[in-house]
Amino acid sequence: MRASYIEDIKSWEQEFTFYSEVSVRFSETDMFGHLNNTVTFAYFEYARIEFLKHIKLMNDWLKPTNETIPVVADLQCDYVRQVFFDEKLRIYVKINSIGSSSIDIHYMAKNVKQEIVFTGRGTMVQIDKKTGKGSKWSEEKLKVFNK
């Protein structure tokens, strides 16, 4: 593994607790029969949203009266093993670090053999709907992140 955001793979791997399961659909594969490299980002999105729902943050952002929304500022993926049609994957998600209005989220995908097949990270920023600028986390949200 050569991902710059992973210092020690064993300890990094053990920090994950939440995951969402996906099955690779035929339409997500390329002409060689393996997972298209763009699909991993859709898997990250799915797992990230499930994670945010799990920790009860999506509810506030979905309210029409809410003044803030989350946006993805950057996203990267590092491919470790090939993935093929009909494989079952667990997409793990964790918050790696918390900024004043952002969080750095890490991802790890494992196959049924418990092998890491790809990893990733990305920054999500809470912005003010009116200004489009970063909006600081409330004390309530910081408590959720630090659980």
Side-chain angles (χ1 to χ4, degrees):
M1 300 262 327
R2 294 183 294 259
S4 62
Y5 48 89
I6 303 172
E7 288 184 32
D8 174 44
I9 187 69
K10 290 296 178 200
S11 60
W12 180 81
E13 183 179 0
Q14 292 172 355
E15 293 171 353
F16 288 91
T17 58
F18 181 88
Y19 65 86
S20 292
E21 294 183 334
V22 296
S23 292
V24 178
R25 298 179 297 183
F26 182 77
S27 64
E28 297 171 331
T29 61
D30 61 20
M31 62 189 249
F32 302 109
H34 66 270
L35 183 67
N36 183 283
N37 63 307
T38 63
V39 175
T40 56
F41 295 101
Y43 290 171
F44 288 166
E45 177 187 52
Y46 171 71
R48 178 179 59 250
I49 289 170
E50 292 303 307
F51 173 71
L52 293 170
K53 288 181 346 189
H54 175 75
I55 63 173
K56 310 271 191 268
L57 285 182
M58 280 307 289
N59 299 341
D60 287 343
W61 285 320
L62 292 174
K63 292 177 186 171
T65 58
N66 198 47
E67 296 177 4
T68 60
I69 57 171
V71 296
V72 173
D74 75 316
L75 196 56
Q76 75 182 76
C77 182
D78 293 282
Y79 305 93
V80 180
R81 296 181 183 281
Q82 290 189 63
V83 176
F84 295 91
F85 165 66
D86 212 28
E87 280 195 58
K88 310 292 186 256
L89 303 176
R90 285 185 175 181
I91 313 298
Y92 290 83
V93 182
K94 71 173 180 165
I95 295 173
N96 187 63
S97 62
I98 305 164
S100 61
S101 63
S102 66
I103 52 175
D104 188 52
I105 300 174
H106 284 197
Y107 306 91
M108 174 179 64
K110 285 186 169 185
N111 61 21
V112 294
K113 296 177 187 174
Q114 294 299 303
E115 299 167 322
I116 296 174
V117 293
F118 53 87
T119 65
R121 61 145 305 278
T123 302
M124 190 182 79
V125 180
Q126 177 177 251
I127 65 167
D128 183 288
K129 284 183 184 178
K130 292 177 187 161
T131 67
K133 305 274 186 206
S135 178
K136 290 188 179 218
W137 301 118
S138 66
E139 289 299 319
E140 181 181 300
K141 285 183 181 169
L142 285 172
K143 287 178 188 173
V144 170
F145 291 145
N146 289 312
K147 282 185 181 180

